[in-house]
Amino acid sequence: MKSDAVKCGAQQAPHRSLFHALGFTKEELERPLVGIVSSYNEIVPGHMNLDKIVDAVKQGVAMAGGTPVVFPAIAVCDGIAMGHIGMKYSLVTRDLIADSTECMAIAHQFDALVMVPNCDKNVPGLLMAAARVNVPTVFVSGGPMLAGHVNGQKRSLSSMFEAVGTHAAGKMTDEELAEFETKVCPTCGSCSGMYTANSMNCLTEALGMGLQGNGTIPAVYSDRLRLAKHAGMAVMELLKKNIRPRDIITKESILNALTIDMALGCSTNSMLHIPAIAHEIGFDFDISLANEISEKTPNLCHLAPAGPTYMEDLNEAGGVYAVMKEIADLGLLNLDCMTVTGKTIGENIAHAVNLNPEVIRPTANPYSKTGGLAVLKGNLAPNGSVVKRSAVVPEMMVHEGRARVFDCEEDAIDAIKGGKIVEGDVVVIRYEGPKGGPGMREMLNPTSAIAGMGLGSSVALITDGRFSGASRGASIGHVSPEAAMGGPIAFVEEGDIISINIPEYRLELKVDDAELARRREKWQPREPKVQGGYISRYEKLVTTADRGAVLSVPK
């Protein structure tokens, strides 16, 4: 066992003395040491129940003959961090989580790991760590929140942000806003739509790193505790069979995950995290693969914010496995990929059934014949940009409008709420990319303000920042190269015409090459917005969004 390096032989007597100080018995030290990475904290609603999940995992590991040992991972609540300097510190935690978990796992020579994340950056960060450490590993999340109910309708966090815009437009009273505030997030769990946290937790199933139901069983269901116990037992089976993350996370399984991403209509943030996970196994992921896969993968789900269904509905309809079975029947999945069940994807989904064709559309009746995400390129985004096209209204799939240019999120929000943005405009928010932010803030506040002001079907938003999974509309992010690196988005001027053509994957600035060259010559790099601390180090090391905003190795 790997842990023998810290447990066995006379040379390890000092190590054992420290285990004795922790209260470990001789019998416990004779068993495999299983690290349980707990993202529990008291600031993230999706993490407040993880202490219960961790206890259940510990029971499962112990029942199967292992010795569970818990250590922590940090987590930022994107919702609480939204719209201020705190959002600069969200994406950057993904790499902190990966790095610190790698440090803990290797320093203490764990034989296996169970990852217990839930919200946003924890899932991809721990997937990156799993691929690096490469000991048998299973994922079990805290589960999604139940939907809220306001005036007899299901609601979620995206409804809350849009309500703020509606209130600013004078279309909602203070009392109505307060009712939303107290009802849209009714339980613990990751926010109830197909936002980033739920997207990534669902993709752990498609990738093969999570058990069935990991992405969809609600946080408050006791079934979630049973799943956690089974995860603890499953990791012991993986240890016996020596099945490791790099046996599961392969080029083929990553493409499977991207395919299911398209069918589910996942968050655009998956186009940051999938390349970063691929990077850990040496797969040079080109985001343009998204278009190739999207062209042949139908979009079967319209969960909030794209539609009126929620994670609890997807769970009752058969969950991720039911979606995978629909897609597999089209021949679009590699069914031979290994999973944490010790079986292949094909074996896992063989008996999956779609129990609600209103929630999971059959492939004969999809929401669209193409997938939920699209990568747009053109002279405004030579290396690509990303849009969640499943959340774009038909009239905005092709659009031309005048640029309204802002160099930070706050200025754009002031203009939107101040009534300065009108139908047909294309709002451009730049210097918010991985380097320019630094930290690539999410733009949920401006997209929600646009929707709340009644402009969601007539105004587009383009940024080198990114969007929350709760954003909807013609919201095009990850524009690369970003403004801080001298990308063309830095040269857009007020009143320029921007052309968006999502079906043809094009994003164009209607300015001729000579004029663009003139503007480029005048452009000067800007000083970073934040000086000192971790985020300053991050700014120096982070790569472009099209590469997953991974950290480069200094030369």
Side-chain angles (χ1 to χ4, degrees), residues 85-105:
I85 191 173
M87 182 44 69
K88 296 179 185 290
Y89 286 84
S90 171
L91 177 61
V92 304
T93 65
R94 184 190 70 186
D95 296 270
L96 275 176
I97 290 160
D99 293 348
S100 58
T101 301
E102 173 196 352
C103 292
M104 289 292 288

Side-chain angles (χ1 to χ4, degrees), residues 131-252:
R132 282 186 210 169
V133 177
N134 202 35
V135 298
T137 303
V138 175
F139 276 68
V140 57
S141 75
M145 185 184 289
L146 294 178
H149 291 81
V150 182
N151 297 326
Q153 291 185 308
K154 285 186 176 181
R155 298 291 189 179
S156 64
L157 184 64
S158 56
S159 311
M160 183 71 252
F161 276 91
E162 291 180 13
V164 172
T166 305
H167 179 266
K171 300 175 183 178
M172 179 179 284
T173 66
D174 291 347
E175 292 75 20
E176 289 170 328
L177 184 68
E179 184 177 13
F180 267 75
E181 180 182 330
T182 56
K183 292 183 177 179
V184 296
C185 295
T187 70
C188 64
S190 49
C191 297
S192 55
M194 188 54 81
Y195 311 142
T196 305
N198 292 324
S199 295
M200 294 308 301
N201 281 322
C202 286
L203 294 186
T204 62
E205 292 187 56
L207 196 60
M209 290 297 294
L211 298 176
Q212 183 177 7
N214 184 54
T216 60
I217 297 171
V220 294
Y221 284 13
S222 297
D223 204 16
R224 174 65 55 179
L225 297 176
R226 289 192 289 272
L227 180 74
K229 291 175 184 177
H230 283 129
M233 290 185 260
V235 82
M236 296 304 295
E237 283 299 309
L238 293 180
L239 183 58
K240 289 175 187 175
K241 296 175 180 177
N242 195 30
I243 298 174
R244 301 169 182 244
R246 289 189 198 174
D247 299 319
I248 297 170
I249 304 174
T250 62
K251 177 179 178 180
E252 291 74 22

Side-chain angles (χ1 to χ4, degrees), residues 9-25:
Q11 189 68 28
Q12 277 64 45
H15 306 70
R16 289 194 298 276
S17 72
L18 295 168
F19 280 107
H20 295 324
L22 290 163
F24 283 91
T25 65

Side-chain angles (χ1 to χ4, degrees), residues 122-455:
N122 291 77
V123 186
L126 292 178
L127 282 166
M128 292 162 68
R132 282 186 210 169
V133 177
N134 202 35
V135 298
T137 303
V138 175
F139 276 68
V140 57
S141 75
M145 185 184 289
L146 294 178
H149 291 81
V150 182
N151 297 326
Q153 291 185 308
K154 285 186 176 181
R155 298 291 189 179
S156 64
L157 184 64
S158 56
S159 311
M160 183 71 252
F161 276 91
E162 291 180 13
V164 172
T166 305
H167 179 266
K171 300 175 183 178
M172 179 179 284
T173 66
D174 291 347
E175 292 75 20
E176 289 170 328
L177 184 68
E179 184 177 13
F180 267 75
E181 180 182 330
T182 56
K183 292 183 177 179
V184 296
C185 295
T187 70
C188 64
S190 49
C191 297
S192 55
M194 188 54 81
Y195 311 142
T196 305
N198 292 324
S199 295
M200 294 308 301
N201 281 322
C202 286
L203 294 186
T204 62
E205 292 187 56
L207 196 60
M209 290 297 294
L211 298 176
Q212 183 177 7
N214 184 54
T216 60
I217 297 171
V220 294
Y221 284 13
S222 297
D223 204 16
R224 174 65 55 179
L225 297 176
R226 289 192 289 272
L227 180 74
K229 291 175 184 177
H230 283 129
M233 290 185 260
V235 82
M236 296 304 295
E237 283 299 309
L238 293 180
L239 183 58
K240 289 175 187 175
K241 296 175 180 177
N242 195 30
I243 298 174
R244 301 169 182 244
R246 289 189 198 174
D247 299 319
I248 297 170
I249 304 174
T250 62
K251 177 179 178 180
E252 291 74 22
S253 70
I254 286 171
L255 295 180
N256 277 349
L258 182 56
T259 300
I260 298 306
D261 183 319
M262 294 296 172
L264 286 169
C266 289
S267 164
T268 52
N269 279 314
S270 64
M271 292 306 294
L272 283 174
H273 302 321
I274 290 175
I277 295 161
H279 177 75
E280 296 294 339
I281 65 162
F283 172 22
D284 187 12
F285 184 94
D286 182 342
I287 62 170
S288 295
L289 279 169
N291 292 342
E292 180 183 330
I293 288 176
S294 179
E295 282 295 327
K296 55 189 178 184
T297 307
N299 176 229
L300 306 183
C301 299
H302 264 195
L303 290 100
T309 54
Y310 294 80
M311 295 306 297
E312 61 205 65
D313 303 313
L314 179 59
N315 187 62
E316 296 302 319
V320 177
Y321 274 24
V323 176
M324 294 176 73
K325 183 65 164 60
E326 292 278 1
I327 296 301
D329 287 346
L330 294 178
L332 299 179
L333 293 182
N334 186 319
L335 301 180
D336 296 327
C337 292
M338 180 52 60
T339 75
V340 293
T341 66
K343 299 177 180 179
T344 65
I345 287 286
E347 292 172 306
N348 285 347
I349 67 173
H351 302 293
V353 177
N354 181 354
L355 300 173
N356 189 338
E358 297 301 315
V359 176
I360 304 171
R361 290 271 187 98
T363 55
N365 180 36
Y367 281 100
S368 66
K369 294 181 180 180
T370 52
L373 299 180
V375 172
L376 313 184
K377 290 188 175 182
N379 69 346
L380 188 51
N383 294 349
S385 60
V386 182
V387 62
K388 186 173 182 175
R389 67 172 160 191
S390 60
V392 179
V393 295
E395 54 265 40
M396 290 298 289
M397 297 295 276
V398 178
H399 179 75
E400 277 197 7
R402 64 170 184 152
R404 305 301 310 279
V405 184
F406 305 93
D407 287 351
C408 68
E409 176 189 6
E410 289 82 359
D411 290 350
I413 292 170
D414 289 344
I416 295 164
K417 291 186 176 178
K420 297 177 181 177
I421 303 301
V422 300
E423 289 186 10
D425 283 350
V426 178
V427 176
V428 177
I429 306 178
R430 60 192 179 191
Y431 295 100
E432 291 285 7
K435 284 186 178 293
M440 202 179 186
R441 288 194 289 181
E442 288 185 341
M443 301 291 146
L444 179 56
N445 275 348
T447 58
S448 298
I450 287 170
M453 297 288 283
L455 298 170

Side-chain angles (χ1 to χ4, degrees), residues 375-379 385 397 476 499-508:
V375 172
L376 313 184
K377 290 188 175 182
N379 69 346
S385 60
M397 297 295 276
I476 301 167
S499 172
I500 300 164
N501 191 320
I502 295 174
E504 294 184 6
Y505 306 116
R506 302 296 299 171
L507 181 62
E508 298 283 351

